[in-house]
Amino acid sequence: MSTANTIDFNGAETQDAALANIPSNTLLKLRITIRPGGAGPEGWLTQSKTSEALYLNTEAVVLEGPHARRRIYTRIGVKGKGVNERGEDVYANRGRALIRGILESARGARSDDQSERARVARTIRGFGDLNGLEFVAKVGIDKDRNNPSDEGRNVIAAAIAAEHADYARLMGGAPSAPAPTPLAPTGAPSPSWTGNTPAASPAAGNAPFWAR
């Protein structure tokens, strides 16, 4: 009960649901945003504090369902701290695969589609093109391997392409177009493609470049 001098919050819900991890392998519709770190030619990348690794520091908000408005933070590798014995940058390869999946999911492409339209859908003019994309993702839980008691945190484990059985239901119809061309991060030079993108022809209308 509240009195003239107090406000009683005993009846408010606890924060347990907000603090607990979303169960691993849950499928969700997300909107992604890059948190610029000032590294790289356009400033979108973040430099690791402990190595030469570069990554995209992303924040994704859950758009629908019981976890709506929850936020998921994921680092998407662009350059690793080194290569393995076969000369492969595993960290960067994983990141490229995830970005490909995000583009396929956001733009309604199947992962096995090699048509010209699908190939263009997997193309971006700069990392800023990822800002605002809505897609379907499978959530995972990333734990500190050196801390057995760590409960971990949610990350994007994979993006779900158009062939998945639940894709259409979760996307809720046609895939969304990308957000308007974003500005470069503060203090970074403008991306080369912001001033050099040809205007759409009348036949193309307002369709994004990858869908024309």
Side-chain angles (χ1 to χ4, degrees), residues 31-115:
R31 180 187 296 121
I32 195 167
T33 302
I34 302 172
R35 306 165 77 187
E42 296 172 357
W44 293 108
L45 301 179
T46 296
Q47 173 74 61
S48 169
K49 296 179 180 179
T50 59
S51 73
E52 296 182 355
L54 293 167
Y55 58 88
L56 292 171
N57 191 13
T58 71
E59 173 184 315
V61 60
V62 180
L63 297 177
E64 300 170 354
H67 305 292
R69 296 185 297 279
R70 292 281 299 274
R71 296 180 185 274
I72 298 172
Y73 302 94
T74 306
R75 294 180 179 182
I76 302 177
V78 173
K79 176 187 176 183
K81 59 183 179 181
V83 297
N84 62 17
E85 63 278 4
R86 295 185 296 275
E88 301 168 332
D89 187 336
V90 177
Y91 184 63
N93 288 346
R94 285 201 305 264
R96 285 175 56 83
L98 180 53
I99 292 173
R100 170 179 172 155
I102 290 171
L103 292 171
E104 289 170 342
S105 184
R107 296 172 173 179
R110 294 175 57 94
S111 61
D112 58 355
D113 186 353
Q114 293 301 318
S115 68

Side-chain angles (χ1 to χ4, degrees), residues 18 23 46 94 115 160 163 183 191 196:
T46 296
R94 285 201 305 264
S115 68
I160 303 303
E163 69 267 23
L183 298 175
N196 299 320

